[in-house]
Amino acid sequence: MEKHELVIIGAGPAGMSAAIYGRRAGLDVLVLEKAATGGQINITDEIENYPGVAHATGPELGDLLKNHALKFNTEIRMVDDSKVELRGDKKIIITHKSGQANEIEAEAVIVATGAHFKRLGCEGEAEHIGQGVSFCAVCDGAFFEDLEVAVVGGGNTAVEEGGYLTKFASKVYIIHRRDEFRADRAAIAQALANPKIEPVYNTVVEKIEGDGMVENLVLKNVKTGEISNLPVSGVFMFVGQEPDDQCVRGLVKAERGGWIITNDHMETSIEGIFAAGDVRSKYLRQVITAAADGAVAAMAASSYINEQLHLKATLLEPEEVKAFFYSSIDESQVKLSNSIENAAKAKGVKIPVIDGYRNARMTEKLGLTGKLPALATLKKGVVSEVKEIKSADEI
């Protein structure tokens, strides 16, 4: 079976950042991607809020991130899909490419698969996708030269993409269910100052009509209940996002909606699996926060891998070993561990001293939680005896 120290699923800003930091940490890194490197920023026309890059298109920034990762000889592999499985303590990633399955074992996995825009769910939407219904202004805006279009949504993406569409469309209606947009003040001010943009507040789309191509939107005012028609040639949906969590869905803990729960180290509920970027539960989903997540996840994964390799070699692989476990948050246990290390060194005896608090998962796996400080005897990785220790003399 193919093996890698770190496998990153997703090649957007989070994945590329993780790859750069992982390679610089000396890890063997494999990046898996099913679409294009750069992720969702490839459908963004302008990026002006990434520090150090005053202005760039999404694809331009995506290429910069990709080339930076390739500079450190990162392997980027295109696949059709990826799925993470646990087989005992092993993390296995199953991929498919052109109908061929492949299995990869990883010491650690970083899920950086991002998110995608939601569908509105109204009548006529599904039938008109690709025929006037779009989720990407950059991809499809040019098709609506001198035509009137609508944008549905009220956040930054809706307002900013509405502004972008005015480069092509003769008029852009921004339809929002509330009485004001939720975007940044600067973005709102810029949009409202554009003579081609007309906001439609307190309104939802009930139905999308058209013989083939989109021709009309049936609207409903949420306050008055009034139904009206809005003739347009296209409608762009920006009504929120959903996580692309399929590769670990049901495996790691997630909050409502599927957003993966992590701690500050980007660790998920499963040992050795990390999540970074838009796929995880977080306050702000931007290129800069995704890149930051990727860096943190890579360094946490590096620390995890190094610790696991050390612990495996020290505790699980020898025929027999006696190791002292203590908690680094208990001052008396820390002093005891220092005394034992000094005594063992003075007598020429090798006794691994393991911080059971820092390596809580290994401690739990060995059944030593709540028994520290203790001297454990392991035979081929299995605890055969445990003795609680109160002084160095007992060792």
Side-chain angles (χ1 to χ4, degrees):
M1 183 184 293
E2 181 180 357
K3 294 184 179 182
H4 293 274
E5 289 180 318
L6 176 61
V7 172
I8 301 167
I9 306 176
M16 290 292 91
S17 176
I20 292 166
Y21 274 76
R23 287 294 298 140
R24 282 179 54 83
L27 297 177
D28 163 30
V29 176
L30 171 64
V31 179
L32 302 174
E33 172 59 51
K34 69 175 183 179
T37 55
Q40 194 166 270
I41 61 173
N42 283 312
I43 63 171
T44 302
D45 177 55
E46 293 184 344
I47 294 178
E48 297 181 321
N49 56 0
Y50 190 77
V53 181
H55 180 273
T57 67
E60 286 173 347
L61 184 56
D63 284 340
L64 288 173
L65 293 169
K66 175 186 176 181
N67 292 332
H68 196 165
L70 291 176
K71 173 186 174 183
F72 296 108
N73 298 316
T74 302
E75 182 182 354
I76 302 174
R77 183 182 303 172
M78 306 308 293
V79 297
D80 295 331
D81 58 61
S82 304
K83 184 74 174 178
V84 182
E85 288 186 0
L86 294 180
R87 297 177 188 172
D89 291 336
K90 295 182 178 180
K91 289 166 283 292
I92 308 297
I93 303 94
I94 303 169
T95 67
H96 292 90
K97 178 67 175 177
S98 302
Q100 296 293 317
N102 183 42
E103 294 189 348
I104 305 164
E105 182 181 343
E107 293 288 338
V109 177
I110 296 177
V111 179
T113 44
H116 63 274
F117 289 109
K118 292 181 181 178
R119 292 189 182 188
L120 192 60
C122 68
E123 183 180 348
E125 178 186 34
E127 297 90 326
H128 288 93
I129 291 176
Q131 294 181 307
V133 171
S134 175
F135 301 86
C136 177
V138 175
C139 308
D140 300 328
F143 295 120
F144 298 92
E145 187 81 38
D146 296 326
L147 298 174
E148 294 192 359
V149 301
V151 168
V152 182
N156 278 341
T157 302
V159 172
E160 291 170 358
E161 296 305 287
Y164 170 74
L165 286 168
T166 60
K167 295 181 179 181
F168 310 100
S170 60
K171 192 172 190 65
V172 178
Y173 299 93
I174 303 181
I175 302 167
H176 185 43
R177 63 167 48 247
R178 296 183 176 86
D179 55 8
E180 62 180 11
F181 296 132
R182 296 177 292 107
D184 295 337
R185 291 180 181 178
I188 294 173
Q190 186 175 355
L192 296 181
N194 191 321
K196 286 188 174 183
I197 290 180
E198 181 176 330
V200 183
Y201 299 119
N202 301 313
T203 300
V204 296
V205 178
E206 291 279 284
K207 185 178 181 181
I208 300 173
E209 298 178 325
D211 184 10
M213 298 296 293
V214 169
E215 297 174 354
N216 181 67
L217 302 183
V218 179
L219 306 181
K220 179 181 179 180
N221 187 294
V222 296
K223 288 191 173 181
T224 66
E226 180 184 356
I227 301 296
S228 61
N229 292 309
L230 180 66
V232 292
S233 299
V235 55
F236 292 79
M237 306 298 189
F238 301 112
V239 291
Q241 295 179 304
E242 292 180 330
D244 292 320
D245 65 325
Q246 294 88 342
C247 65
V248 290
R249 186 174 296 171
L251 184 63
V252 300
K253 287 184 179 179
E255 65 179 26
R256 185 177 180 181
W259 305 103
I260 298 173
I261 297 171
T262 71
N263 60 16
D264 290 344
H265 294 173
M266 305 300 144
E267 295 173 313
T268 70
S269 58
I270 299 296
E271 178 181 349
I273 299 180
F274 303 78
D278 289 1
V279 73
R280 77 182 191 92
S281 175
K282 57 191 297 185
Y283 173 71
L284 181 65
R285 293 184 173 88
Q286 293 283 291
V287 177
I288 187 170
T289 61
D293 284 357
V296 173
M299 297 314 295
S302 175
S303 176
Y304 167 79
I305 290 169
N306 291 334
E307 286 180 1
Q308 293 306 301
L309 292 176
H310 169 71
L311 291 174
K312 285 180 181 178
T314 303
L315 300 175
L316 306 182
E317 294 174 356
E319 287 290 323
E320 182 174 341
V321 63
K322 292 181 184 292
F324 175 71
F325 288 78
Y326 74 102
S327 172
S328 59
I329 62 171
D330 185 311
E331 186 177 351
S332 64
Q333 292 190 33
V334 172
K335 290 181 179 179
L336 178 57
S337 70
N338 291 334
S339 298
I340 290 172
E341 281 188 304
N342 292 333
K345 185 177 180 180
K347 295 186 177 183
V349 178
K350 289 185 178 180
I351 298 179
V353 176
I354 309 297
D355 182 351
Y357 175 77
R358 183 180 177 189
N359 298 288
R361 286 175 172 169
M362 177 62 77
T363 305
E364 182 180 359
K365 187 184 301 182
L366 296 175
L368 299 175
T369 303
K371 299 179 181 179
L372 308 185
L375 181 70
T377 302
L378 289 85
K379 295 181 178 180
K380 294 183 179 180
V382 178
V383 176
S384 61
E385 185 181 13
V386 178
K387 290 185 177 181
E388 293 190 27
I389 301 297
K390 295 183 180 181
S391 70
D393 291 338
E394 293 180 48
I395 292 286

